Coordinates of all heavy atoms in Angstrom, one line a residue:
M1 N -25.1 5.6 6.0 CA -24.2 5.4 7.1 C -24.7 4.4 8.1 O -25.9 4.4 8.5 CB -23.9 6.8 7.7 CG -22.6 6.9 8.5 SD -21.2 6.6 7.5 CE -20.2 5.5 8.5
S2 N -23.8 3.6 8.6 CA -24.3 2.6 9.5 C -24.4 3.1 10.9 O -24.0 4.3 11.1 CB -23.3 1.3 9.6 OG -22.1 1.7 10.2
A3 N -24.9 2.3 11.8 CA -25.1 2.8 13.2 C -23.8 3.0 13.8 O -23.7 3.7 14.9 CB -25.9 1.8 14.0
T4 N -22.7 2.5 13.2 CA -21.4 2.6 13.9 C -21.0 4.1 14.0 O -20.4 4.4 15.0 CB -20.3 1.8 13.0 OG1 -20.8 0.5 12.9 CG2 -19.0 1.9 13.6
G5 N -21.3 4.8 13.0 CA -20.8 6.2 12.9 C -19.3 6.4 12.8 O -18.7 5.3 12.5
L6 N -18.9 7.6 12.8 CA -17.5 7.9 12.6 C -16.8 7.9 14.0 O -17.4 8.4 14.9 CB -17.3 9.2 11.8 CG -17.4 9.1 10.3 CD1 -18.6 8.5 9.7 CD2 -17.1 10.5 9.7
P7 N -15.5 7.5 14.0 CA -14.9 7.7 15.3 C -14.7 9.1 15.7 O -14.5 9.9 14.8 CB -13.5 6.9 15.1 CG -13.4 6.9 13.6 CD -14.7 6.9 13.0
Q8 N -14.8 9.4 17.0 CA -14.7 10.8 17.4 C -13.2 11.1 17.6 O -12.8 12.2 17.6 CB -15.4 10.9 18.7 CG -16.9 10.7 18.5 CD -17.7 10.9 19.8 OE1 -17.2 10.3 20.9 NE2 -18.8 11.5 19.9
A9 N -12.4 10.1 17.7 CA -10.9 10.3 17.9 C -10.1 9.2 17.3 O -10.6 8.0 17.4 CB -10.5 10.5 19.3
I10 N -9.0 9.5 16.6 CA -8.1 8.5 16.1 C -6.8 8.8 16.7 O -6.2 9.8 16.5 CB -8.0 8.6 14.5 CG1 -9.4 8.3 14.0 CG2 -7.0 7.6 14.0 CD1 -9.6 8.6 12.4
V11 N -6.3 7.8 17.5 CA -5.0 8.0 18.1 C -4.0 6.9 17.7 O -4.3 5.7 17.9 CB -5.1 8.0 19.7 CG1 -3.8 8.3 20.3 CG2 -6.2 8.9 20.1
D12 N -2.9 7.2 17.1 CA -2.0 6.3 16.7 C -0.8 6.2 17.8 O -0.1 7.1 18.0 CB -1.4 6.8 15.4 CG -0.3 5.8 14.8 OD1 -0.4 4.6 15.2 OD2 0.5 6.2 14.1
H13 N -0.8 5.0 18.4 CA 0.2 4.7 19.4 C 1.5 4.1 18.7 O 1.5 2.9 18.6 CB -0.3 3.9 20.6 CG -1.5 4.4 21.2 ND1 -1.4 5.4 22.2 CD2 -2.8 4.2 21.0 CE1 -2.6 5.7 22.6 NE2 -3.5 5.0 22.0
Q14 N 2.4 4.9 18.2 CA 3.5 4.3 17.4 C 4.4 3.4 18.3 O 4.8 2.3 17.9 CB 4.4 5.4 16.9 CG 3.8 5.9 15.6 CD 4.0 5.0 14.4 OE1 4.9 4.2 14.3 NE2 3.1 5.0 13.4
A15 N 4.6 3.8 19.6 CA 5.5 3.0 20.4 C 5.0 1.5 20.6 O 5.8 0.6 20.6 CB 5.7 3.7 21.8
S16 N 3.7 1.4 20.9 CA 3.2 0.1 21.1 C 2.6 -0.5 19.8 O 2.2 -1.7 19.8 CB 2.1 0.2 22.2 OG 1.2 1.2 21.9
G17 N 2.6 0.3 18.8 CA 2.1 -0.2 17.4 C 0.5 -0.5 17.5 O 0.2 -1.6 17.0
V18 N -0.2 0.4 18.0 CA -1.6 0.2 18.2 C -2.3 1.4 17.6 O -1.9 2.5 18.0 CB -2.1 -0.1 19.6 CG1 -3.5 -0.1 19.8 CG2 -1.5 -1.4 20.1
L19 N -3.4 1.2 16.8 CA -4.2 2.3 16.4 C -5.5 2.2 17.2 O -6.2 1.2 17.2 CB -4.6 2.1 14.9 CG -5.5 3.2 14.3 CD1 -4.7 4.6 14.3 CD2 -6.0 2.8 12.9
E20 N -5.8 3.3 17.9 CA -7.0 3.4 18.8 C -8.0 4.3 18.1 O -7.7 5.4 17.7 CB -6.5 4.0 20.2 CG -7.7 4.1 21.1 CD -7.3 4.6 22.4 OE1 -6.1 4.6 22.7 OE2 -8.3 5.0 23.2
L21 N -9.3 3.7 18.0 CA -10.4 4.5 17.5 C -11.4 4.6 18.6 O -11.8 3.6 19.2 CB -11.0 3.7 16.3 CG -10.0 3.5 15.1 CD1 -10.7 2.6 14.0 CD2 -9.5 4.8 14.5
R22 N -11.9 5.8 18.8 CA -13.0 6.0 19.9 C -14.2 6.3 19.2 O -14.4 7.2 18.4 CB -12.5 7.2 20.8 CG -11.3 6.7 21.6 CD -10.9 7.8 22.6 NE -9.5 7.5 23.1 CZ -8.7 8.5 23.4 NH1 -9.0 9.8 23.2 NH2 -7.4 8.2 23.8
W23 N -15.2 5.4 19.4 CA -16.5 5.5 18.8 C -17.5 6.3 19.5 O -17.5 6.4 20.8 CB -17.0 4.1 18.5 CG -16.1 3.2 17.8 CD1 -15.2 2.3 18.2 CD2 -15.9 3.2 16.4 NE1 -14.4 1.7 17.3 CE2 -14.8 2.3 16.0 CE3 -16.4 3.9 15.3 CZ2 -14.3 2.1 14.7 CZ3 -15.9 3.7 14.0 CH2 -14.9 2.8 13.8
P24 N -18.6 6.7 18.8 CA -19.6 7.6 19.4 C -20.3 6.8 20.5 O -20.9 7.4 21.5 CB -20.5 8.0 18.3 CG -19.7 7.7 17.1 CD -18.7 6.6 17.3
D25 N -20.3 5.5 20.5 CA -21.0 4.8 21.6 C -20.2 4.6 22.8 O -20.7 4.0 23.8 CB -21.5 3.4 21.1 CG -20.3 2.5 20.8 OD1 -19.1 2.9 21.0 OD2 -20.6 1.4 20.3
G26 N -19.0 5.3 22.9 CA -18.2 5.2 24.0 C -17.2 4.1 24.1 O -16.3 4.0 24.9
S27 N -17.3 3.2 23.2 CA -16.3 2.1 23.1 C -15.1 2.5 22.3 O -15.1 3.5 21.7 CB -16.9 0.8 22.4 OG -17.2 1.1 21.1
A28 N -14.1 1.6 22.4 CA -12.9 2.0 21.7 C -12.4 0.7 21.0 O -12.4 -0.4 21.5 CB -11.9 2.6 22.6
S29 N -11.7 0.9 19.8 CA -11.0 -0.2 19.2 C -9.5 0.0 19.3 O -9.1 1.1 19.0 CB -11.4 -0.3 17.7 OG -12.8 -0.5 17.5
R30 N -8.8 -1.0 19.8 CA -7.4 -0.9 19.9 C -6.8 -1.9 18.9 O -6.8 -3.1 19.2 CB -6.9 -1.1 21.3 CG -7.3 0.0 22.2 CD -6.9 -0.2 23.7 NE -5.4 -0.3 23.7 CZ -4.6 0.6 23.8 NH1 -5.1 1.9 23.7 NH2 -3.3 0.5 23.9
L31 N -6.4 -1.5 17.8 CA -6.0 -2.4 16.7 C -4.5 -2.4 16.5 O -4.0 -1.4 16.1 CB -6.7 -2.0 15.4 CG -8.2 -1.8 15.5 CD1 -8.8 -1.1 14.3 CD2 -8.9 -3.2 15.7
P32 N -3.9 -3.6 16.7 CA -2.4 -3.7 16.4 C -2.2 -3.4 15.0 O -2.9 -3.8 14.1 CB -2.1 -5.1 16.8 CG -3.2 -5.5 17.8 CD -4.4 -4.8 17.3
H33 N -1.1 -2.7 14.7 CA -0.8 -2.3 13.3 C -0.6 -3.6 12.5 O -1.0 -3.7 11.3 CB 0.5 -1.5 13.2 CG 0.4 -0.1 13.8 ND1 1.4 0.7 14.0 CD2 -0.7 0.5 14.4 CE1 1.0 1.9 14.6 NE2 -0.3 1.7 14.8
G34 N 0.1 -4.6 13.0 CA 0.3 -5.9 12.4 C -1.0 -6.5 12.0 O -1.2 -7.2 10.9
L35 N -2.1 -6.4 12.9 CA -3.3 -7.0 12.5 C -4.0 -6.4 11.4 O -4.5 -7.0 10.4 CB -4.3 -6.9 13.9 CG -5.7 -7.3 13.6 CD1 -5.9 -8.8 13.5 CD2 -6.6 -6.8 14.6
L36 N -3.9 -5.1 11.4 CA -4.5 -4.2 10.3 C -3.8 -4.6 9.0 O -4.5 -4.7 8.0 CB -4.3 -2.7 10.6 CG -5.2 -2.2 11.8 CD1 -4.7 -0.8 12.2 CD2 -6.6 -2.1 11.4
R37 N -2.6 -4.8 9.0 CA -1.8 -5.2 7.8 C -2.3 -6.5 7.3 O -2.5 -6.7 6.1 CB -0.3 -5.2 8.0 CG 0.5 -5.6 6.9 CD 0.4 -4.6 5.7 NE 1.2 -5.1 4.6 CZ 0.7 -6.0 3.7 NH1 -0.5 -6.4 3.8 NH2 1.5 -6.4 2.7
A38 N -2.5 -7.4 8.3 CA -2.9 -8.8 7.8 C -4.3 -8.8 7.3 O -4.7 -9.7 6.5 CB -2.7 -9.8 9.1
R39 N -5.1 -7.9 7.8 CA -6.6 -7.9 7.4 C -6.9 -6.9 6.2 O -8.0 -6.6 6.0 CB -7.4 -7.6 8.6 CG -7.3 -8.5 9.8 CD -7.6 -10.0 9.3 NE -7.3 -11.0 10.3 CZ -8.2 -11.3 11.2 NH1 -9.4 -10.9 11.1 NH2 -7.9 -12.2 12.2
C40 N -5.8 -6.5 5.6 CA -5.9 -5.6 4.4 C -6.9 -6.3 3.5 O -6.8 -7.5 3.2 CB -4.6 -5.3 3.8 SG -4.8 -4.3 2.2
R41 N -7.8 -5.5 2.9 CA -8.8 -6.0 2.0 C -8.6 -5.5 0.6 O -9.6 -5.6 -0.2 CB -10.2 -5.7 2.5 CG -10.5 -6.3 3.9 CD -12.0 -6.5 4.1 NE -12.7 -5.2 4.0 CZ -14.0 -5.2 4.2 NH1 -14.7 -6.2 4.6 NH2 -14.6 -3.9 4.1
C42 N -7.4 -5.0 0.2 CA -7.3 -4.6 -1.1 C -7.2 -5.8 -2.1 O -7.1 -7.0 -1.6 CB -5.9 -3.8 -1.2 SG -4.5 -4.8 -1.3
A43 N -7.4 -5.5 -3.4 CA -7.5 -6.6 -4.3 C -6.3 -7.6 -4.2 O -6.5 -8.8 -4.3 CB -7.6 -6.0 -5.7
G44 N -5.1 -7.0 -4.1 CA -3.9 -7.8 -4.0 C -4.0 -8.8 -2.9 O -3.7 -10.0 -3.0
C45 N -4.4 -8.2 -1.7 CA -4.3 -9.1 -0.5 C -5.4 -10.1 -0.5 O -5.3 -11.2 -0.1 CB -4.4 -8.2 0.7 SG -2.9 -7.3 1.1
Q46 N -6.6 -9.7 -1.1 CA -7.7 -10.7 -1.1 C -7.3 -11.9 -2.1 O -7.7 -13.0 -1.8 CB -8.9 -10.0 -1.6 CG -9.5 -9.0 -0.5 CD -10.9 -8.8 -0.7 OE1 -11.5 -8.7 -1.8 NE2 -11.7 -8.6 0.4
Q47 N -6.7 -11.5 -3.1 CA -6.3 -12.6 -4.0 C -5.3 -13.5 -3.3 O -5.4 -14.7 -3.5 CB -5.5 -11.9 -5.2 CG -4.9 -12.9 -6.2 CD -5.9 -13.6 -7.0 OE1 -7.0 -13.2 -7.2 NE2 -5.6 -14.8 -7.5
R48 N -4.4 -13.0 -2.5 CA -3.5 -13.9 -1.8 C -4.2 -14.7 -0.8 O -3.9 -15.9 -0.5 CB -2.4 -13.0 -1.2 CG -1.1 -13.8 -1.0 CD 0.1 -12.9 -0.5 NE -0.2 -12.1 0.7 CZ -0.1 -10.8 0.7 NH1 0.3 -10.1 -0.3 NH2 -0.4 -10.2 1.9
H49 N -5.2 -14.1 -0.1 CA -6.0 -14.9 0.8 C -6.7 -16.1 0.2 O -6.7 -17.2 0.7 CB -7.2 -14.0 1.4 CG -6.7 -12.9 2.4 ND1 -7.5 -12.1 2.9 CD2 -5.5 -12.6 2.7 CE1 -6.9 -11.2 3.7 NE2 -5.6 -11.6 3.5
R50 N -7.1 -15.9 -1.0 CA -7.8 -16.9 -1.8 C -6.8 -18.1 -2.1 O -7.1 -19.2 -2.0 CB -8.5 -16.4 -3.0 CG -9.9 -15.8 -2.8 CD -10.7 -15.7 -4.0 NE -10.1 -14.6 -4.8 CZ -10.4 -13.3 -4.7 NH1 -11.2 -12.9 -3.8 NH2 -9.8 -12.5 -5.6
T51 N -5.6 -17.7 -2.6 CA -4.7 -18.6 -3.1 C -4.0 -19.4 -2.0 O -3.7 -20.5 -2.1 CB -3.7 -18.1 -4.1 OG1 -3.0 -16.9 -3.4 CG2 -4.3 -17.6 -5.3
E52 N -3.8 -18.7 -0.8 CA -3.0 -19.3 0.2 C -3.9 -19.7 1.4 O -3.6 -20.5 2.3 CB -2.0 -18.3 0.8 CG -0.9 -17.9 -0.2 CD 0.0 -16.8 0.3 OE1 -0.1 -16.5 1.6 OE2 0.9 -16.3 -0.4
G53 N -5.1 -19.2 1.4 CA -6.1 -19.6 2.4 C -5.9 -18.9 3.7 O -4.8 -18.7 4.1
G54 N -7.0 -18.5 4.3 CA -6.9 -17.8 5.7 C -6.3 -16.5 5.6 O -6.0 -16.0 4.5
H55 N -5.9 -16.0 6.7 CA -5.3 -14.8 6.8 C -3.8 -14.9 7.0 O -3.3 -15.8 7.6 CB -5.8 -13.9 8.1 CG -7.2 -13.5 8.0 ND1 -7.6 -12.6 7.1 CD2 -8.3 -14.0 8.6 CE1 -9.0 -12.5 7.2 NE2 -9.4 -13.4 8.1
P56 N -3.0 -14.0 6.3 CA -1.7 -14.1 6.5 C -1.2 -13.8 8.0 O -1.9 -13.2 8.7 CB -1.1 -12.9 5.6 CG -2.3 -12.0 5.5 CD -3.5 -12.8 5.6
E57 N 0.0 -14.2 8.2 CA 0.5 -14.1 9.6 C 0.6 -12.6 9.9 O 1.0 -11.8 9.1 CB 1.8 -14.8 9.8 CG 1.7 -16.2 10.1 CD 3.0 -16.8 10.6 OE1 3.8 -16.1 11.3 OE2 3.2 -18.0 10.2
V58 N 0.3 -12.2 11.2 CA 0.6 -10.8 11.6 C 2.0 -10.7 11.8 O 2.7 -11.4 12.5 CB -0.2 -10.6 12.9 CG1 0.1 -9.2 13.4 CG2 -1.7 -10.7 12.6
A59 N 2.6 -9.6 11.2 CA 4.0 -9.2 11.4 C 4.1 -8.2 12.5 O 3.7 -7.0 12.3 CB 4.6 -8.7 10.1
P60 N 4.5 -8.6 13.7 CA 4.6 -7.7 14.8 C 5.4 -6.5 14.6 O 5.1 -5.4 15.3 CB 5.1 -8.5 16.0 CG 5.1 -9.9 15.5 CD 5.1 -9.9 14.0
A61 N 6.4 -6.5 13.7 CA 7.3 -5.3 13.5 C 6.6 -4.2 12.6 O 7.1 -3.2 12.6 CB 8.5 -5.9 13.0
I62 N 5.5 -4.7 11.9 CA 4.9 -3.7 11.1 C 4.4 -2.5 11.8 O 3.7 -2.7 12.8 CB 3.8 -4.4 10.2 CG1 4.3 -5.4 9.2 CG2 2.8 -3.4 9.6 CD1 4.7 -4.8 7.9
R63 N 4.6 -1.3 11.2 CA 4.0 -0.2 11.8 C 3.3 0.6 10.7 O 3.6 0.5 9.5 CB 5.1 0.7 12.4 CG 5.7 0.2 13.6 CD 4.7 0.3 14.8 NE 5.3 -0.2 16.0 CZ 5.3 -1.5 16.4 NH1 4.8 -2.4 15.6 NH2 5.8 -1.8 17.6
L64 N 2.3 1.4 11.2 CA 1.6 2.4 10.2 C 2.6 3.5 9.9 O 3.2 4.0 10.8 CB 0.3 2.9 10.9 CG -0.9 2.0 10.9 CD1 -1.9 2.6 11.8 CD2 -1.4 1.9 9.5
A65 N 2.7 3.8 8.6 CA 3.4 4.8 8.2 C 2.7 6.1 7.9 O 3.2 7.2 8.0 CB 4.3 4.5 6.9
A66 N 1.4 5.9 7.5 CA 0.5 7.0 7.3 C -0.9 6.7 7.4 O -1.3 5.5 7.1 CB 0.7 7.6 5.9
I67 N -1.7 7.6 7.9 CA -3.1 7.4 8.1 C -3.9 8.5 7.4 O -3.7 9.6 7.6 CB -3.5 7.4 9.6 CG1 -2.8 6.4 10.4 CG2 -5.1 7.2 9.7 CD1 -3.0 6.6 11.9
Q68 N -4.6 8.1 6.4 CA -5.3 9.1 5.5 C -6.8 8.9 5.5 O -7.3 8.0 4.9 CB -4.8 9.1 4.1 CG -3.3 9.4 4.0 CD -2.6 8.9 2.7 OE1 -3.1 8.0 2.0 NE2 -1.5 9.4 2.4
P69 N -7.5 9.7 6.2 CA -9.0 9.6 6.2 C -9.6 9.9 4.8 O -9.1 10.8 4.2 CB -9.5 10.7 7.3 CG -8.2 10.9 8.1 CD -7.0 10.7 7.1
I70 N -10.5 9.1 4.5 CA -11.2 9.3 3.2 C -12.6 9.7 3.5 O -13.5 8.9 3.6 CB -11.2 8.0 2.4 CG1 -9.7 7.6 2.2 CG2 -11.8 8.2 1.0 CD1 -9.6 6.3 1.5
S71 N -12.8 11.0 3.6 CA -14.2 11.6 3.9 C -14.9 10.7 5.0 O -14.4 10.4 6.0 CB -14.9 11.9 2.8 OG -15.3 10.7 2.1
D72 N -16.1 10.4 4.6 CA -16.9 9.5 5.5 C -16.8 8.1 5.3 O -17.6 7.3 5.8 CB -18.3 10.0 5.4 CG -19.0 9.8 4.1 OD1 -18.2 9.5 3.2 OD2 -20.2 10.0 4.0
Q73 N -15.9 7.6 4.4 CA -15.7 6.2 4.0 C -15.0 5.4 5.0 O -15.4 4.3 5.3 CB -15.1 6.1 2.7 CG -16.0 6.6 1.5 CD -15.2 6.4 0.2 OE1 -14.8 5.3 -0.1 NE2 -15.0 7.5 -0.6
G74 N -13.8 5.9 5.4 CA -12.9 5.2 6.3 C -11.5 5.7 6.2 O -11.3 6.8 6.0
L75 N -10.6 4.8 6.3 CA -9.2 5.2 6.4 C -8.4 4.5 5.3 O -8.6 3.2 5.0 CB -8.5 4.8 7.7 CG -9.1 5.5 9.0 CD1 -8.4 5.0 10.2 CD2 -8.8 7.0 8.9
N76 N -7.5 5.1 4.7 CA -6.5 4.5 3.8 C -5.2 4.4 4.7 O -4.7 5.4 5.1 CB -6.2 5.4 2.5 CG -5.1 4.8 1.8 OD1 -4.4 5.6 1.1 ND2 -4.9 3.5 1.6
L77 N -4.8 3.2 4.9 CA -3.6 3.0 5.8 C -2.4 2.6 5.0 O -2.4 1.7 4.1 CB -3.9 1.9 6.8 CG -5.2 2.2 7.8 CD1 -5.3 0.9 8.6 CD2 -4.9 3.4 8.5
V78 N -1.3 3.3 5.3 CA 0.0 3.0 4.7 C 0.9 2.4 5.7 O 1.0 2.9 6.8 CB 0.6 4.2 4.0 CG1 1.9 3.9 3.3 CG2 -0.4 4.9 3.0
F79 N 1.6 1.3 5.3 CA 2.4 0.4 6.4 C 3.8 0.6 6.0 O 4.3 1.1 5.0 CB 2.0 -1.0 6.3 CG 0.5 -1.2 6.8 CD1 -0.5 -1.2 5.9 CD2 0.3 -1.4 8.1 CE1 -1.8 -1.4 6.3 CE2 -1.0 -1.6 8.5 CZ -2.0 -1.6 7.7
S80 N 4.6 0.3 7.1 CA 6.1 0.5 7.0 C 6.7 -0.4 6.0 O 7.9 -0.2 5.6 CB 6.7 0.3 8.3 OG 6.3 -1.0 8.9
D81 N 6.0 -1.5 5.5 CA 6.6 -2.3 4.4 C 6.2 -1.7 3.0 O 6.6 -2.4 2.0 CB 6.0 -3.8 4.6 CG 4.5 -3.9 4.4 OD1 3.9 -2.7 4.3 OD2 4.0 -5.0 4.3
G82 N 5.6 -0.6 3.0 CA 5.4 0.1 1.8 C 4.1 -0.2 1.2 O 3.7 0.4 0.1
H83 N 3.2 -1.1 1.8 CA 1.9 -1.4 1.4 C 1.0 -0.3 1.8 O 0.8 0.0 2.9 CB 1.5 -2.7 1.9 CG 0.3 -3.3 1.2 ND1 0.2 -3.7 -0.1 CD2 -1.0 -3.5 1.7 CE1 -0.9 -4.2 -0.4 NE2 -1.8 -4.0 0.6
G84 N 0.2 0.2 0.9 CA -0.7 1.3 1.2 C -1.9 1.3 0.3 O -2.4 2.4 0.0
R85 N -2.4 0.2 -0.2 CA -3.4 0.2 -1.1 C -4.8 -0.2 -0.4 O -5.9 -0.1 -1.1 CB -3.3 -0.8 -2.3 CG -1.9 -0.5 -3.0 CD -1.8 -1.4 -4.2 NE -3.0 -1.4 -5.1 CZ -3.2 -2.2 -6.1 NH1 -2.4 -3.2 -6.3 NH2 -4.2 -2.1 -6.8
G86 N -4.8 -0.5 0.9 CA -6.0 -0.9 1.5 C -6.8 0.2 2.0 O -6.4 1.1 2.7
I87 N -8.2 0.1 1.7 CA -9.1 1.0 2.3 C -9.8 0.3 3.4 O -10.4 -0.8 3.2 CB -10.2 1.5 1.2 CG1 -9.5 2.0 0.0 CG2 -11.1 2.5 1.8 CD1 -8.6 3.3 0.3
Y88 N -9.9 0.9 4.6 CA -10.6 0.3 5.7 C -11.8 1.0 6.0 O -11.7 2.0 6.7 CB -9.6 0.2 6.9 CG -8.4 -0.6 6.7 CD1 -7.4 -0.3 5.8 CD2 -8.2 -1.8 7.4 CE1 -6.3 -1.0 5.6 CE2 -7.1 -2.6 7.1 CZ -6.1 -2.2 6.3 OH -5.0 -3.0 6.1
P89 N -13.0 0.6 5.6 CA -14.2 1.2 6.0 C -14.4 1.3 7.5 O -14.0 0.4 8.2 CB -15.3 0.4 5.3 CG -14.6 -0.4 4.3 CD -13.2 -0.7 4.9
W90 N -15.1 2.4 7.9 CA -15.4 2.5 9.3 C -16.0 1.3 10.0 O -15.6 0.8 11.0 CB -16.3 3.8 9.6 CG -15.6 5.1 9.1 CD1 -16.2 5.9 8.3 CD2 -14.3 5.6 9.6 NE1 -15.3 7.0 8.1 CE2 -14.2 6.8 9.0 CE3 -13.3 5.2 10.4 CZ2 -13.1 7.6 9.1 CZ3 -12.2 6.0 10.6 CH2 -12.1 7.2 9.9
A91 N -17.0 0.7 9.3 CA -17.7 -0.5 9.9 C -16.7 -1.6 10.0 O -16.9 -2.4 11.0 CB -18.8 -0.8 9.0
Y92 N -15.7 -1.7 9.1 CA -14.8 -2.8 9.1 C -13.9 -2.6 10.3 O -13.5 -3.6 11.1 CB -14.1 -2.9 7.8 CG -13.1 -4.1 7.7 CD1 -13.5 -5.4 7.9 CD2 -11.7 -3.8 7.4 CE1 -12.6 -6.4 7.8 CE2 -10.9 -4.8 7.2 CZ -11.3 -6.1 7.4 OH -10.4 -7.2 7.3
L93 N -13.4 -1.4 10.5 CA -12.5 -1.1 11.6 C -13.2 -1.4 12.9 O -12.6 -1.9 13.9 CB -12.1 0.4 11.5 CG -11.1 0.7 10.4 CD1 -11.0 2.2 10.1 CD2 -9.7 0.1 10.6
H94 N -14.5 -1.0 13.0 CA -15.3 -1.2 14.2 C -15.4 -2.7 14.5 O -15.2 -3.2 15.6 CB -16.6 -0.6 14.1 CG -17.5 -0.6 15.3 ND1 -18.3 -1.6 15.7 CD2 -17.5 0.4 16.3 CE1 -18.9 -1.3 16.8 NE2 -18.5 -0.2 17.3
E95 N -15.6 -3.4 13.5 CA -15.8 -4.9 13.5 C -14.5 -5.6 14.0 O -14.6 -6.5 14.9 CB -16.2 -5.4 12.2 CG -16.5 -6.9 12.0 CD -16.7 -7.3 10.6 OE1 -17.5 -6.6 9.9 OE2 -15.9 -8.2 10.1
L96 N -13.4 -5.1 13.5 CA -12.1 -5.7 13.9 C -11.8 -5.4 15.4 O -11.2 -6.3 16.1 CB -11.0 -5.1 13.1 CG -10.8 -5.5 11.6 CD1 -9.7 -4.7 10.9 CD2 -10.5 -7.0 11.6
G97 N -12.3 -4.3 15.9 CA -12.1 -4.0 17.2 C -13.1 -4.6 18.2 O -13.0 -4.6 19.4
H98 N -14.1 -5.2 17.7 CA -15.2 -5.7 18.5 C -15.6 -7.1 17.9 O -16.7 -7.3 17.4 CB -16.4 -4.8 18.4 CG -16.3 -3.4 19.0 ND1 -15.6 -2.5 18.3 CD2 -16.7 -2.9 20.1 CE1 -15.6 -1.4 19.0 NE2 -16.2 -1.6 20.1
P99 N -14.7 -8.1 18.1 CA -15.0 -9.4 17.7 C -16.3 -9.9 18.3 O -16.6 -9.6 19.4 CB -13.8 -10.3 18.3 CG -12.7 -9.2 18.5 CD -13.4 -8.0 18.8
A100 N -17.1 -10.7 17.5 CA -18.4 -11.1 17.9 C -18.3 -12.0 19.2 O -19.2 -12.0 20.0 CB -19.0 -11.9 16.8
A101 N -17.1 -12.7 19.3 CA -17.0 -13.6 20.4 C -16.8 -12.8 21.8 O -16.9 -13.5 22.9 CB -15.8 -14.5 20.2
T102 N -16.4 -11.5 21.6 CA -16.1 -10.9 22.9 C -17.4 -10.3 23.6 O -18.3 -9.8 23.0 CB -15.2 -9.6 22.5 OG1 -14.1 -10.0 21.9 CG2 -14.9 -8.8 23.8
T103 N -17.5 -10.6 24.9 CA -18.6 -10.0 25.7 C -18.1 -9.0 26.6 O -17.0 -9.2 27.3 CB -19.3 -11.1 26.4 OG1 -18.4 -11.9 27.2 CG2 -20.1 -12.0 25.5
A104 N -18.7 -7.9 26.7 CA -18.2 -6.8 27.5 C -18.6 -7.0 29.0 O -19.5 -7.6 29.3 CB -18.7 -5.5 27.0
Ligands
LIG201 ZN1 -3.5 -5.1 0.7

């Protein structure tokens, strides 16, 4: 397990389309659903990244349809467009919420 640890709370803000993760270090990740969809790392999406280059556009209307924790690995996220093959490891979710360029 990385130093990131597991989030102590997972709050899905459906109205604003934001998934909030609260980490043991006291920080929080506020991840727009559309961003999570765009950064899906399943085989299908990675293939598309390679052929089209870069990240697909974030669709603001996309919403999370289901959140399924996978023991200590991370989250399986299902989206309103029916896509639900992506596994998001905890460290990856933490990284998405803490861009290296951001200074607190
Ligand atoms: Zn995917």
Side-chain angles (χ1 to χ4, degrees):
M1 203 61 225
S2 74
T4 302
L6 272 60
Q8 295 176 318
I10 300 171
V11 187
D12 181 24
H13 302 279
Q14 275 288 330
S16 50
V18 171
L19 180 68
E20 179 179 350
L21 303 173
R22 295 183 193 142
W23 302 99
D25 65 1
S27 67
S29 300
R30 294 180 56 82
L31 306 169
H33 293 176
L35 171 76
L36 290 165
R37 176 64 182 87
R39 300 303 174 90
C40 177
R41 300 201 301 182
C42 79
C45 290
Q46 289 203 326
Q47 174 70 26
R48 207 167 58 234
H49 292 177
R50 276 195 294 275
T51 54
E52 296 176 7
H55 292 290
E57 277 190 36
V58 173
I62 287 278
R63 287 293 181 272
L64 277 172
I67 302 169
Q68 295 161 342
I70 303 172
S71 66
D72 62 350
Q73 292 182 52
L75 294 176
N76 173 216
L77 300 179
V78 181
F79 294 91
S80 55
D81 64 352
H83 191 70
R85 298 186 58 189
I87 308 294
Y88 295 71
W90 298 124
Y92 183 55
L93 290 165
H94 189 270
E95 179 187 312
L96 282 176
H98 298 73
T102 301
T103 50

